[in-house]
Amino acid sequence: MRFNRLALYGLLGIAALMILAPVFIMVSTSLKPMDEIRDGSIFALPVEPSFDAWREAWSGDCSQTAGGNCGGLSSSFLTSVKIVIPALFLSVGLGAVTGYALAAWKMRGANLMFAALLVGMFIPPQVTLYPLIIMVRELGIFGSIPGLVLVHVIWGVAFTTMMFRNFFKTVPQDLLKAARIDGAGFWPLFWHVMLPLSLPILGVAMILQFTYIWNDFLLGLTFGGRSGQPMTVALNNLVGSQFGEKEYNVDMAATMLTALPTLAVYLLSGRLFVRGIAAGAVKG
Amino acid sequence: MNGVELRGVTKAYAGLTVMKDINLEIEDGAFLVLLGPSGCGKSTILNMIAGLEPVTGGSIHIAGREVTELEPDERDIAMVFQSYALYPTMSVRRNIGFGLKMRGMPKADIEKRVDEIGELLQITPLLDRKPSQLSGGQQQRVAIGRALVREPSVFLFDEPLSNLDAKLRADMRVELKRLHERLGRTIVYVTHDQIEAMTLATKVVVLDKGSIQQADTPENVYRRPANKFVASFVGAPTMNFIDGKLVQDGDGIAFDGGSGQLPLASLPTRARDLIGQPVTLGARPEHLMFDDLGANARVLLAEPTGPDQYVRLAVAGSEVTARTGPEQHFSSGTDARIMIDGARVSLFDPESGRAIL
């Protein structure tokens, strides 16, 4: 018994260590000045911890970075926010309404639409990259924030629609009938009955979509252009385009800055997220 | 005139006709019960009256107005569901007021009406709770309140008591009957429970396989079933059916079941016309009487239920059930003598199953 306990905690400890070790290295390296990095072990704690690297990663030092990307990650952080907020609300909102329409109303071509959604969920984005580029170019919004938002919405809406459709399918038919007799049409039924029911799923969809869009690199790189460069792309530029000695402390700080928003969203919404999943949100 | 009328209503699913030429007139203030086994089409009729399912042919009239093509909320009806179908995220107050809100009634008026309904149904203390905080019986009251608040011409009930336990079901039944007597509104009520049908209805419509078998008062449906289906569906324990023929027995008429005769006391005289032709005798358990002048029978099993006992008997080559008081004791395997009350029995045509007496 005692041995089992010990083995259990031992295993858990090892697993935690394996996951936390890189995080520890990142945090500790980001707090070290370059001399310490050069001379010491990567596992060593910083002797004189300072936030200089963080400051530089955030607001930048023009003498250190290649032309055009002056100002650290702060400006691309704002760009990311400008991309995520409309893309998040549009993809989740459209998904909720479309999923509701598919689940609660009889529509012609609903089966075809459903098949299209499945394809949309499982096809890798790389496959449709080129046609999407042409489409966005023809719309005249290639290389801009609206263009990138559109692409994110197109990619997100299949997934969010599926989530909401599957949830709304579990709503009892009698409830829909009762609402029809009470005189609730398409929008009142959605707004007063279905949407309040779907709050846990709404939460999960928001969190997942936020994560996907914030962490996206490929679409941002392809569709963002100069003005719509999200934080992930800027991070890649920052890490990959320095002259001279590699500033590991700045790279680590920049990487953590980029990952921080999604981390914060998960930590702040942890309980809601678990409840949403338990409510049957993410099936299959 | 707040009645309902179905004229030649037909229903087909994907080309398959499940209901043909349904004609039904429901008078103003009637409590009409649609009774039948599952799959008989009773809920489909209710849903067509409600407008939740379109009719394939024919027309529906509510309160003298044709509503065949109207949406459910335009038909002046309200419905109570088996599952209650309360909006889970809304308080009881908002649940009851939702229909009025959708009709654009001012907030103050809604509040007033909801409070009145709360008092009428004695649910005032529950008004600010969520449906999940209520018991089944309380939820059903709220569902009824949601229907009442709209003051429709016609109330539709879809098996509203099936999800309640036996005791509560009996209580709610009494309350529904009181409510109907007090409000005097037309009610169409679907159930498969014959006790509900017999106790509540002013008129019972018995359905089977998508067609109306009989539409009459509960008394007539029980006493004079139109055919074998109605006779066997209504009444528990079920009616005894014996195939055979009527024969002359001295001055009276007896029933010959092939291996023995049963005297039928005081059979109406017009039954004499049927002598000699094959018939199915339908006798309810209470039509069988233990009488020393009767035919020989053997007791197979006695089932005391408290107020009554049901005695399984072998008589004239068939097995039948008789209902009698609890006083007499019957042991399996003993002999008894049995007489049939000819004034109350039914006779059916063995071919068509239709009642011929």
Side-chain angles (χ1 to χ4, degrees):
Chain A
M1 196 60 207
R2 178 166 286 257
F3 174 76
N4 284 344
R5 276 277 118 160
L6 240 91
L8 179 69
Y9 282 114
L11 275 171
L12 285 174
I14 291 167
L17 201 72
M18 282 170 70
I19 292 164
L20 288 176
V23 180
F24 164 77
I25 292 170
M26 282 178 77
V27 175
S28 103
T29 308
S30 73
L31 296 175
K32 291 176 191 169
M34 272 318 284
D35 310 340
E36 277 184 48
I37 295 173
R38 229 175 280 120
D39 304 333
S41 148
I42 59 164
F43 290 105
L45 280 167
V47 183
E48 288 170 38
S50 86
F51 281 96
D52 288 346
W54 286 73
R55 212 167 292 125
E56 195 185 322
W58 180 249
S59 46
D61 179 354
C62 293
S63 64
Q64 295 286 322
T65 47
N69 193 29
C70 191
L73 292 178
S74 57
S75 68
S76 61
F77 172 82
L78 265 181
T79 311
S80 266
V81 171
K82 282 185 207 157
I83 293 163
V84 164
I85 287 177
L88 178 66
F89 283 95
L90 279 173
S91 64
V92 173
L94 278 173
V97 176
T98 318
Y100 154 71
L102 278 172
W105 296 82
K106 284 189 188 110
M107 289 192 317
R108 210 168 296 162
N111 284 335
L112 202 73
M113 172 111 183
F114 188 68
L117 283 173
L118 277 177
V119 172
M121 264 184 72
F122 292 114
I123 210 166
Q126 290 85 340
V127 173
T128 54
L129 211 52
Y130 187 51
L132 264 177
I133 290 170
I134 296 172
M135 196 181 105
V136 175
R137 187 193 66 200
E138 293 302 310
L139 288 171
I141 49 176
F142 184 77
S144 68
I145 291 179
L148 185 50
V149 167
L150 177 70
V151 174
H152 276 305
V153 171
I154 290 172
W155 268 106
V157 88
F159 171 71
T160 54
T161 301
M162 258 330 230
M163 260 179 99
F164 281 98
R165 190 205 89 103
N166 288 350
F167 173 75
F168 287 137
K169 271 281 178 203
T170 66
V171 173
Q173 281 295 314
D174 278 358
L175 204 61
L176 305 180
K177 287 184 185 173
R180 276 184 72 193
I181 285 173
D182 271 340
F186 187 89
W187 290 110
L189 174 60
F190 177 67
W191 193 250
H192 294 292
V193 181
M194 298 298 251
L195 197 62
L197 270 176
S198 73
L199 280 183
I201 276 62
L202 189 76
V204 175
M206 294 282 254
I207 292 164
L208 289 178
Q209 275 302 102
F210 179 88
T211 313
Y212 290 155
I213 299 169
W214 189 274
N215 287 349
D216 159 71
F217 175 74
L218 177 74
L219 298 179
L221 180 69
T222 315
F223 292 91
R226 281 216 170 274
S227 62
Q229 201 177 62
M231 209 170 178
T232 46
V233 177
L235 171 70
N236 180 62
N237 291 349
L238 181 92
V239 172
S241 66
Q242 283 158 338
F243 293 120
E245 182 183 43
K246 209 135 186 55
E247 287 184 296
Y248 289 111
N249 52 358
V250 177
D251 292 355
M252 295 294 180
T255 309
M256 287 178 68
L257 279 172
T258 310
L260 227 47
T262 39
L263 214 62
V265 164
Y266 272 103
L267 289 178
L268 292 176
S269 62
R271 198 174 301 171
L272 181 75
F273 186 69
V274 171
R275 208 172 47 176
I277 286 181
V282 191
K283 279 181 188 154
Chain B
M1 163 63 196
N2 281 331
V4 181
E5 211 187 328
L6 275 70
R7 290 189 200 150
V9 168
T10 309
K11 179 73 189 171
Y13 291 103
L16 187 73
T17 306
V18 291
M19 219 169 260
K20 220 169 144 185
D21 198 28
I22 298 282
N23 289 289
L24 192 58
E25 200 167 325
I26 306 167
E27 298 89 31
D28 185 15
F31 196 129
L32 182 112
V33 172
L34 297 168
L35 178 69
S38 53
C40 70
K42 54 192 192 296
S43 289
T44 308
I45 291 184
L46 198 74
N47 282 335
M48 289 193 296
I49 296 174
L52 294 168
E53 274 192 51
V55 299
T56 312
S59 63
I60 295 173
H61 305 257
I62 294 175
R65 186 169 65 115
E66 182 170 354
V67 298
T68 318
E69 299 298 325
L70 295 184
E71 282 295 307
D73 61 307
E74 300 165 335
R75 293 191 175 201
D76 201 15
I77 50 122
M79 192 157 166
V80 176
F81 296 88
Q82 180 180 0
S83 61
Y84 322 131
L86 300 176
Y87 308 119
T89 55
M90 297 183 199
S91 66
V92 168
R93 189 183 294 279
R94 284 187 60 211
N95 258 288
I96 296 175
F98 187 65
L100 302 177
K101 184 177 166 183
M102 288 297 111
R103 275 168 178 68
M105 188 184 266
K107 255 203 176 111
D109 294 357
I110 297 178
E111 283 294 304
K112 209 174 127 241
R113 291 272 283 276
V114 172
D115 285 338
E116 283 168 15
I117 292 295
E119 244 159 73
L120 177 72
L121 295 174
Q122 295 160 11
I123 50 173
T124 309
L126 309 176
L127 283 179
D128 292 309
R129 295 210 200 151
K130 287 276 172 67
S132 57
Q133 295 167 302
L134 306 179
S135 70
Q138 290 170 332
Q139 289 189 36
Q140 191 55 278
R141 269 163 202 273
V142 175
I144 291 169
R146 188 171 62 179
L148 287 178
V149 79
R150 303 236 319 267
E151 302 186 344
S153 301
V154 179
F155 290 100
L156 306 175
F157 286 86
D158 191 1
E159 310 217 15
L161 306 183
S162 314
N163 284 1
L164 302 176
D165 61 58
K167 163 100 177 65
L168 203 54
R169 201 180 311 159
D171 293 347
M172 285 300 282
R173 214 163 56 208
V174 173
E175 267 190 58
L176 276 176
K177 187 154 186 162
R178 275 205 196 116
L179 205 62
H180 176 247
E181 278 169 6
R182 185 157 43 169
L183 300 172
R185 293 292 171 97
T186 311
I187 291 178
V188 184
Y189 187 106
V190 160
T191 185
H192 61 263
D193 183 326
Q194 47 166 315
I195 305 290
E196 281 173 30
M198 299 302 286
T199 53
L200 291 170
T202 58
K203 186 175 175 184
V204 176
V205 174
V206 184
L207 291 151
D208 184 41
K209 294 180 187 125
S211 64
I212 295 176
Q213 304 295 316
Q214 188 170 7
D216 212 332
T217 60
E219 294 75 25
N220 283 346
V221 166
Y222 188 76
R223 291 210 185 123
R224 291 277 156 241
N227 56 39
K228 265 181 82 176
F229 174 81
V230 176
S232 64
F233 191 76
V234 178
T238 189
M239 187 184 253
N240 299 298
F241 296 106
I242 312 169
D243 289 324
K245 60 178 192 272
L246 295 182
V247 291
Q248 191 80 35
D249 176 29
D251 280 346
I253 298 174
F255 179 80
D256 189 342
S259 58
Q261 288 194 357
L262 281 163
L264 291 172
S266 53
L267 195 70
T269 42
R270 59 202 162 86
R272 289 187 182 280
D273 300 342
L274 301 169
I275 287 176
Q277 93 183 55
V279 293
T280 301
L281 173 72
R284 295 205 181 275
E286 62 267 31
H287 301 162
L288 274 65
M289 297 166 298
F290 292 94
D291 190 314
D292 291 340
L293 298 172
N296 267 323
R298 180 170 292 271
V299 175
L300 300 172
L301 188 74
E303 294 177 286
T305 64
D308 291 320
Q309 65 177 326
Y310 303 131
V311 187
R312 292 289 288 169
L313 299 157
V315 65
S318 302
E319 256 190 64
V320 296
T321 304
R323 173 190 241 144
T324 182
E327 300 81 14
Q328 203 178 339
H329 181 77
F330 294 92
S331 344
S332 304
T334 57
D335 286 333
R337 282 184 162 273
I338 194 111
M339 183 87 111
I340 293 181
D341 183 357
R344 293 196 283 167
V345 295
S346 299
L347 292 175
F348 301 101
D349 184 307
E351 298 271 306
S352 65
R354 231 175 268 134
I356 45 180
L357 183 80

